[in-house]
Amino acid sequence: MRIRNLSTRALITGGVIVAAGLIASVILLASGVSPAAALSAFWAGTFGNSTNVGTTLTQAVPLLLVALGWIVSTRAGRLHVGYPGQVIMGGSLATAVGLHCGAFPGPLAVVATALAGIVGGMLWAGLTAWLWASRGVLEIISSLLLNLVAVQVAAWLVRGPLQGPDAHQPQSATFPPSTIWPSIGSIPGQTLSADIVLMPVCAVIVVFLLSRTVFGVGLRASGSNGQAARWSGIDPTRSGVVAILISGGFAGLAGAALLFAASLIVQVSPRARGTRDAI
């Protein structure tokens, strides 16, 4: 049965990919662009050389982290759209901590900045979880509105407490080198940082958590049938709150990863120093 389900999912996924390709081809042809030329340009810009590969993988890190958070949340039956706000608040707290970790040893500074991002995302997600668990507010509504609040909070931070030495620019100061993940030197242009290790490590953690732990079983039971889970002694509300918090932690870590990537670009390219916006 499991193999049959996997085969069905693979067929559905393949069908979606083919349908998306056909739709994109029709749109390109209607615009007067050759689909083959567009595909060639896409491949060259994404994987055409090692520098582009490094840039692509660096940009994939925060996307995968947010996707992992979404998986955890939806497995518990909690669908929210607060990831942009949680990314922003995770990045904001990571900025506040990272700017003051210059005297720390390199690994400790990086870990402190990353943990700050996780905490920032979890705290912002906690507002959604609290509104749902205690007030019955649908998480999809509260999280959507909190995204707008997060944007305004970040705008205030870069014009106030976190504003850098240039009073005319709404941006923070440059991060100390010790707070940034080191780049992989074998990639020309230093476009790939060592935080690429977060992708496989976090993916394995999520798979293990959901499929090999009692907590994961309770989480999936709460998402599939809350009443049955309650009869089994599992509290669906508690599971939902924890799932939302975990998803917020992943989003906050994604916000920190975005800062690592932006700061790496700034330190590699001096010309970018005057145009970087840390948040």
Side-chain angles (χ1 to χ4, degrees):
M1 181 64 69
R2 183 179 180 86
I3 295 177
R4 182 180 299 176
N5 290 337
L6 290 175
S7 299
T8 302
R9 292 179 181 178
L11 287 174
I12 293 174
T13 302
V16 170
I17 293 174
V18 171
L22 291 175
I23 294 173
S25 297
V26 171
I27 295 174
L28 289 170
L29 289 173
S31 304
V33 179
S34 169
L39 180 60
S40 176
F42 171 79
W43 180 265
T46 307
F47 303 109
N49 54 56
S50 56
T51 301
N52 290 352
V53 171
T55 302
T56 300
L57 291 177
T58 296
Q59 294 175 348
V61 171
L63 295 176
L64 177 71
L65 293 174
V66 171
L68 292 175
W70 180 84
I71 290 173
V72 173
S73 181
T74 54
R75 285 295 184 273
R78 305 271 52 94
L79 180 62
H80 71 86
V81 292
Y83 301 104
Q86 292 153 20
V87 167
I88 291 173
M89 297 312 296
S92 297
L93 190 55
T95 300
V97 172
L99 291 175
H100 297 86
C101 289
F104 291 7
L108 182 59
V110 170
V111 171
T113 305
L115 288 177
I118 294 174
V119 172
M122 292 183 73
L123 289 175
W124 203 249
L127 295 176
T128 297
W130 176 75
L131 289 171
W132 166 69
S134 64
R135 295 292 184 267
V137 180
L138 289 176
E139 64 271 22
I140 195 169
I141 295 176
S142 62
S143 61
L144 177 62
L145 297 177
L146 283 170
N147 287 338
L148 305 177
V149 177
V151 171
Q152 297 304 316
V153 171
W156 170 73
L157 287 173
V158 294
R159 290 176 172 84
L162 297 182
Q163 188 170 24
D166 187 354
H168 301 289
Q169 294 292 333
Q171 64 184 37
S172 73
T174 302
F175 279 78
S178 61
T179 64
I180 302 172
W181 287 75
S183 62
I184 298 179
S186 59
I187 303 296
Q190 296 183 320
T191 57
L192 180 62
S193 64
D195 66 347
I196 189 68
V197 301
L198 293 175
M199 295 175 67
V201 170
C202 290
V204 169
I205 290 174
V206 168
V207 171
F208 179 80
L209 178 70
L210 294 178
S211 62
R212 294 292 185 270
T213 65
V214 175
F215 170 75
V217 172
L219 207 68
R220 290 185 285 114
S222 299
S224 59
N225 192 324
Q227 189 62 41
R230 193 172 286 107
W231 289 340
S232 302
I234 300 171
D235 185 356
T237 301
R238 180 178 178 276
S239 296
V241 168
V242 174
I244 293 174
L245 291 176
I246 292 176
S247 68
F250 275 114
L253 182 58
L258 286 170
L259 290 175
F260 294 148
S263 299
L264 177 64
I265 293 173
V266 169
Q267 298 215 358
V268 169
S269 175
R271 292 178 299 176
R273 292 183 186 274
T275 59
R276 181 181 66 89
D277 190 346
I279 297 180

